[in-house]
Amino acid sequence: QVQLVESGGGSVQSGGSLRLSCAASGYYASRYNMDWMGWFRRAPGKEREGVAAIDTGGTTLYADSVKGRFTISRDNAKNTLYLQMGSLKPEDTAMYYCAAGRPGWTLRLHPAGYTYWGQGTQVTVSS
């Protein structure tokens, strides 16, 4: 299995910044099984949605709502995924989840494309 543990969430005012981290471990925590890693979020009353994703080679994808404000990165040697969030807005408030897997081309920013999930870290942005 692959264990994913998120950290770095918290409460921040609108316009502020936060950096999320996700540490991967486990017998199957390999570049093959974690070809893509992504950040997803679920706001109250809404479905889980893709925020950003990155593959082992550094190719990135972003949801339109976070382009220019969020930056995803990963350290393959440390099996760690990051999400630098800036210019935060109240609508960014959600539980943020780290995920890993081998999604098909059309599922790289869709929850259905990912096999392994963390427990989530809460991000709250106040106006």
Side-chain angles (χ1 to χ4, degrees):
Q1 284 291 342
V2 176
Q3 289 80 44
L4 301 174
V5 179
E6 302 96 336
S7 61
S11 296
V12 64
Q13 290 191 327
S14 181
S17 300
L18 280 174
R19 189 192 195 206
L20 305 183
S21 299
C22 171
S25 62
Y27 185 80
Y28 293 108
S30 65
R31 289 193 184 189
Y32 180 82
N33 288 323
M34 303 191 300
D35 186 32
W36 280 84
M37 296 187 75
W39 289 98
F40 296 79
R41 65 186 181 188
R42 176 180 283 159
K46 295 188 177 181
E47 293 187 354
R48 192 174 300 194
E49 64 174 359
V51 174
I54 185 170
D55 75 356
T56 52
T59 299
T60 57
L61 290 174
Y62 293 93
D64 288 343
S65 59
V66 305
K67 281 181 181 176
R69 299 190 298 122
F70 292 9
T71 301
I72 189 171
S73 61
R74 65 189 285 177
D75 185 331
N76 292 322
K78 296 182 179 179
N79 275 350
T80 303
L81 178 72
Y82 304 98
L83 185 68
Q84 180 67 48
M85 304 186 294
S87 301
L88 283 162
K89 305 175 182 179
E91 50 264 45
D92 294 317
T93 295
M95 184 71 79
Y96 282 72
Y97 299 90
C98 169
R102 297 181 55 80
W105 186 259
T106 60
L107 295 179
R108 291 171 298 169
L109 261 184
H110 193 286
Y114 290 77
T115 305
Y116 306 105
W117 290 85
Q119 294 299 308
T121 185
Q122 178 68 37
V123 172
T124 302
V125 184
S126 58
S127 58

